[in-house]
Amino acid sequence: MNLQAQLLARILLIAVICLSTSAWYVLYQTNQQSILEAEQTAKRIERQTRQQLLDMFQRYDFSSPFPDVNLWQGIGGVPGSCTQFLSRTQSRQRSLCNDVIEPEKKYPSWFASFYMQFFTPDQEVRKTVNFNAIKYGTILVSLNTHIETARAWSNLRAVIGVMTVTILALCTLVFFTIGRMLKPAHHIVKGLERMREGELSLRLPAFDIVEWKRTSEAINALVSSQEATLAENQRLALKLMNAQEEEHRYISRELHDEFGQCLAGINAVTTSIAQTAKKECPALLDEVNSISHITAHMMTALRNLLTRLRPADVDDLGLSSSLQQLIRSWNKRSGDQTLYQIHIDNRVDNLPEPLPVNLYRIVQECLTNIAKHARASKADIKLTYAKADEITLIIRDDGIAEADSFTNTMGIGLLGIHERVTALGGQFTLHTEQTGGLVVAIRLPVSNTPFENSNND
């Protein structure tokens, strides 16, 4: 249950409690008012009766009926009530009922039972008539149960109707007011979800409500700090990659110039020794040939190591030619087990540094993973421009690898690819084809700005 519904439910609960309390109070006041009116009626009739006695004793005229009921008619009283005079012997002598037509039953039976159980609509009020220290009788005022119950029901309906309309209007106003007050929360949640997906450039608007405004300002400040931190990490990672490539270039050049030349010299000397031994000491030819084989193996290992450190083809021939040569070498190495194909946009040879060597490394690592884990019969590499300022690399195979196995536990190779793509400001995704196989999709921005900043540092 959301906050708006919770607040509305609590308001309704409070409203029900207030409505119940008000209904009980109205019924109580209605009953008390009827009893009070009956007591006042009994007091007025008692005074009227004592006044009659006083007049009788003053004039010594005892011929008039006592008490004179006709004198009570001008007093009025509670509608529908009956007034009786009880003599000292408690025999009912005189009575007067207000001529009020009892209304038809306009209240439900359950209300009548409830009202009779908790209140006294049939209350009788007694007032003793004393004159000259002598008790002449008792005035008895009896309420009409049906009239009092109908009166209570009418008052209750009026109060409940007014309060119901008021509560509904209040709940409607509160509902829309709370909805308007909580509207910034929906914007904040949506903004946070988009920020979680990587849109750190998004900023929350400044809201009118002070609390929401402070919340959005705090979130924007946090995201700005996070964005600056990620940008700095990306810049440092890019700088580290450039430094690593420069170090690889330096090591490969030194190995090629020093170690490679030494091996070439050893090979030349071995050839000279072989020619001399052939003429003068044929017994040494086998050992000399062994040295030649060892030297050739070392030359091959050195060539492979230099390729791993810094592919010379990327610098000399360009990215397109170096990738095609890489594909040919993988097809030659795999035999008939896996067919590697590549589709390259011709414009990729004009990519700024350090994109070419990193794209070569990414393709190289993906092909290694396919050979090790995929058991694929076909692998397809596609490098094209998706936009004028964005290049995409899609590597697809029909092997047995699944994206979920790499998402939770990403290996060293894929982790290195992910770090390269992140440092270059791109996006790296993995998903599985419906027909089987893994798809590696990489999107990289083509812009000179981050590389220039890295080089300036």
Side-chain angles (χ1 to χ4, degrees), residues 238 242 352-354 447-457:
L238 187 60
N242 290 336
E353 290 291 342
S447 175
N448 292 327
T449 302
F451 311 119
E452 292 176 356
N453 293 339
S454 179
N455 293 330
N456 291 337
D457 293 337

Side-chain angles (χ1 to χ4, degrees), residues 117-138:
Q117 182 177 0
F118 293 97
F119 301 97
T120 55
D122 55 349
Q123 179 77 21
E124 292 183 347
V125 177
R126 296 173 179 268
K127 189 67 177 176
T128 304
V129 179
N130 296 316
F131 185 77
N132 292 334
I134 299 174
K135 178 180 178 182
Y136 284 84
T138 303

Side-chain angles (χ1 to χ4, degrees), residues 275-321:
Q275 293 176 356
T276 303
K278 185 176 181 181
K279 295 179 181 179
E280 299 179 2
C281 187
L284 296 176
L285 281 177
D286 293 337
E287 295 181 359
V288 172
N289 290 333
S290 298
I291 295 175
S292 297
H293 289 308
I294 294 173
T295 305
H297 177 73
M298 293 179 66
M299 291 288 287
T300 302
L302 178 61
R303 191 178 300 110
N304 293 333
L305 179 61
L306 293 176
T307 302
R308 294 290 297 177
L309 284 174
R310 180 71 182 184
D313 293 341
V314 178
D315 296 329
D316 299 337
L317 303 177
L319 179 61
S320 178
S321 298

Side-chain angles (χ1 to χ4, degrees), residues 78-364:
V78 183
S81 63
C82 290
T83 304
Q84 297 178 342
F85 178 79
L86 304 179
S87 64
R88 285 178 294 179
T89 60
Q90 298 297 314
S91 60
R92 300 178 184 270
Q93 297 181 351
R94 302 281 183 174
S95 64
L96 174 68
C97 293
N98 292 330
D99 296 332
V100 176
I101 300 176
E102 293 188 6
E104 296 181 1
K105 186 178 180 182
K106 295 183 179 180
Y107 50 85
S109 301
W110 63 265
F111 177 76
S113 301
F114 172 82
Y115 195 62
M116 284 291 296
Q117 182 177 0
F118 293 97
F119 301 97
T120 55
D122 55 349
Q123 179 77 21
E124 292 183 347
V125 177
R126 296 173 179 268
K127 189 67 177 176
T128 304
V129 179
N130 296 316
F131 185 77
N132 292 334
I134 299 174
K135 178 180 178 182
Y136 284 84
T138 303
I139 303 297
L140 177 64
V141 179
S142 302
L143 298 177
N144 189 304
T145 302
H146 296 291
I147 293 178
E148 295 303 321
T149 304
R151 181 183 180 185
W153 175 250
S154 177
N155 293 342
L156 180 63
R157 289 182 58 188
V159 171
I160 290 179
V162 172
M163 290 198 66
T164 301
V165 173
T166 303
I167 290 172
L168 290 177
L170 179 62
C171 289
T172 303
L173 177 62
V174 169
F175 180 81
F176 287 105
T177 302
I178 293 176
R180 182 178 178 276
M181 299 288 285
L182 294 179
K183 192 174 182 179
H186 300 291
H187 292 290
I188 291 175
V189 172
K190 291 182 180 178
L192 290 175
E193 290 176 350
R194 293 175 60 184
M195 292 173 185
R196 183 184 60 185
E197 294 174 356
E199 297 185 36
L200 296 181
S201 59
L202 179 68
R203 294 295 180 271
L204 297 175
F207 302 106
D208 297 333
I209 303 174
V210 177
E211 289 77 9
W212 292 126
K213 182 178 180 181
R214 293 178 61 185
T215 302
S216 65
E217 290 176 351
I219 293 175
N220 289 337
L222 179 62
V223 174
S224 298
S225 175
Q226 184 71 12
E227 186 179 22
T229 301
L230 292 178
E232 180 65 16
N233 292 339
Q234 180 180 342
R235 187 185 68 84
L236 293 176
L238 187 60
K239 185 176 180 180
L240 177 60
M241 287 171 50
N242 290 336
Q244 289 177 343
E245 292 299 331
E246 290 297 327
E247 186 67 19
H248 291 169
R249 180 182 297 169
Y250 172 76
I251 294 174
S252 63
R253 186 170 57 248
E254 291 296 320
L255 288 175
H256 179 272
D257 294 342
E258 298 295 335
F259 194 54
Q261 290 180 5
C262 290
L263 289 177
I266 293 173
N267 190 41
V269 172
T270 303
T271 302
S272 177
I273 294 174
Q275 293 176 356
T276 303
K278 185 176 181 181
K279 295 179 181 179
E280 299 179 2
C281 187
L284 296 176
L285 281 177
D286 293 337
E287 295 181 359
V288 172
N289 290 333
S290 298
I291 295 175
S292 297
H293 289 308
I294 294 173
T295 305
H297 177 73
M298 293 179 66
M299 291 288 287
T300 302
L302 178 61
R303 191 178 300 110
N304 293 333
L305 179 61
L306 293 176
T307 302
R308 294 290 297 177
L309 284 174
R310 180 71 182 184
D313 293 341
V314 178
D315 296 329
D316 299 337
L317 303 177
L319 179 61
S320 178
S321 298
S322 61
L323 287 176
Q324 290 176 355
Q325 183 174 346
L326 179 65
I327 293 301
R328 285 194 294 269
S329 65
W330 273 100
N331 281 323
K332 182 178 179 181
R333 188 183 310 172
S334 65
D336 297 333
Q337 293 182 355
T338 305
L339 176 62
Y340 297 93
Q341 296 179 341
I342 189 168
H343 307 276
I344 307 176
D345 195 320
N346 294 328
R347 295 175 294 172
V348 299
D349 288 329
N350 298 322
L351 291 174
E353 290 291 342
L355 281 178
V357 66
N358 281 284
L359 286 170
Y360 184 90
R361 296 290 193 194
I362 292 172
V363 174
Q364 192 177 41

Side-chain angles (χ1 to χ4, degrees), residues 17-37:
I17 294 175
C18 293
L19 184 62
S20 302
T21 305
S22 300
W24 184 273
Y25 179 76
V26 167
L27 295 178
Y28 174 77
Q29 287 296 324
T30 301
N31 184 248
Q32 292 298 115
Q33 181 68 25
S34 299
I35 295 174
L36 178 62
E37 291 176 356

Side-chain angles (χ1 to χ4, degrees), residues 388-441:
D389 57 348
E390 183 180 272
I391 193 167
T392 61
L393 173 62
I394 299 177
I395 301 175
R396 179 183 285 106
D397 66 74
D398 59 352
I400 61 173
E402 296 182 357
D404 294 338
S405 60
F406 293 104
T407 302
N408 298 326
T409 57
M410 191 174 292
I412 300 298
L414 289 178
L415 183 60
I417 294 174
H418 186 269
E419 290 177 350
R420 286 180 183 271
V421 173
T422 302
L424 294 170
Q427 296 180 357
F428 172 81
T429 57
L430 288 172
H431 67 271
T432 306
E433 293 276 25
Q434 294 182 352
T435 57
L438 190 66
V439 177
V440 178

